[in-house]
Amino acid sequence: MPPSLTLVVAATSRDLGIGAAHGLPWRLPPDMAFFKAVTLGAGTATGGRRNAVLMGRTTYASIPPRFRPLADRINVVLSRSADADASLSSAPDTHVFSSFPSALEYLDSRSDAGDVFVVGGGQIYDQALRLDCTKRVLLTYVSEASPSTPPIVCDTFLPDFRVGNLGAWVRRDAASLHAYLASIGAEAAQALVPADASPREHNGLQYEFTLWERE
Ligand SMILES: NC(=O)c1ccc[n+]([C@@H]2O[C@H](COP(=O)([O-])OP(=O)(O)OC[C@H]3O[C@@H](n4cnc5c(N)ncnc54)[C@H](OP(=O)(O)O)[C@@H]3O)[C@@H](O)[C@H]2O)c1
């Protein structure tokens, strides 16, 4: 049985832009902190289980070398290249698969695997959104906070799952977002989300944490 998948993604509110020139189009530390707290969750504190992060080879390569593999999480990288397999698989708890089903089968076989988070990029989000086992999207909306903020320019986008062609998705309220974060033991992430989940600003950017669920 494939694990239940949750996408964790930050995207522009305007057109769901997520990337530029193989990197992130912004520097937004509060969202990085949220990402870390969510994907770590309760970590090994609960029954020795480790959460997993599932990503494409391009996204893995975009993580600064000193931060990869992402610590204390099972890192699963999708690549069709034998070279990537050889070079990445030697990193601690990092596993390369040449197809989505084989990656999910592997995670299902790991009795120590906790929650599974799909963390990008565009190709991998697109494929994950087409799978019935993808149940949730933690979406951080990002936008320019004022006319003086340089425009955010993107070349990679999240498919617009909100419009109905990728199943029926509903945006949950702030209480549901908090309840979900508590349910996965991500109290550190909860602490970053205002009680009413209203937008906040940082360095000229506005950001807003949202939770979407498949109906
Ligand atoms: N805003 C956010 O939250 C966020 C999060 C993550 C990433 N990003 C951004 O997204 C961009 C990268 O996205 P992307 O779409 O270019 O690349 P990506 O999805 O990260 O990775 C694409 C690569 O994954 C491999 N792949 C894709 N589907 C596969 C499959 N079914 N089986 C096996 N391998 C598969 C291929 O690797 P090979 O070429 O090795 O075969 C492919 O080239 C960057 O700008 C990054 O910063 C943004």
Side-chain angles (χ1 to χ4, degrees):
M1 175 124 155
S4 160
L5 304 179
T6 298
L7 270 59
V8 187
V9 56
T12 56
S13 8
R14 187 173 43 243
D15 53 4
L16 299 188
I18 63 163
H22 304 299
L24 290 175
W26 47 72
R27 206 181 110 61
L28 192 47
D31 188 58
M32 300 295 277
F34 181 78
F35 172 88
K36 184 177 178 188
V38 165
T39 56
L40 281 173
T44 50
T46 50
R49 285 154 80 83
R50 307 186 112 193
N51 290 340
V53 282
L54 174 57
M55 70 195 98
R57 197 252 318 149
T58 311
T59 292
Y60 187 85
S62 76
I63 301 170
R66 67 184 185 285
F67 294 126
R68 68 183 195 225
L70 297 179
D72 301 321
R73 285 149 284 186
I74 302 168
N75 284 238
V76 173
V77 181
L78 286 174
S79 173
R80 299 183 182 92
S81 141
D83 289 351
D85 191 357
S87 68
L88 301 184
S89 296
S90 56
D93 215 352
T94 303
H95 313 273
V96 180
F97 294 93
S98 59
S99 76
F100 229 109
S102 56
L104 297 184
E105 218 168 281
Y106 171 75
L107 286 166
D108 189 39
S109 76
R110 285 265 309 237
S111 55
D112 64 336
D115 295 312
V116 180
F117 298 101
V118 177
V119 299
Q123 290 184 33
I124 301 306
Y125 289 138
D126 181 76
Q127 293 169 54
L129 283 165
R130 294 168 200 283
L131 301 174
D132 289 341
C133 63
T134 296
K135 304 293 188 199
R136 275 183 209 84
V137 180
L138 280 169
L139 169 59
T140 308
Y141 281 122
V142 183
S143 59
E144 300 88 351
S146 77
S148 62
T149 305
I152 302 170
V153 178
C154 296
D155 60 20
T156 311
F157 297 85
L158 180 72
D160 197 346
F161 64 96
R162 304 164 301 180
V163 295
N165 56 335
L166 291 167
W169 290 85
V170 60
R171 180 175 170 173
R172 300 296 185 199
D173 63 12
S176 304
L177 170 57
H178 278 278
Y180 169 66
L181 295 174
S183 76
I184 58 167
E187 282 86 9
Q190 248 189 301
L192 295 164
V193 181
D196 61 357
S198 55
R200 287 283 188 270
E201 284 185 26
H202 183 90
N203 279 351
L205 295 171
Q206 186 181 79
Y207 62 97
E208 180 181 10
F209 299 113
T210 69
L211 170 66
W212 296 73
E213 288 181 331
R214 197 188 280 282
E215 280 199 302

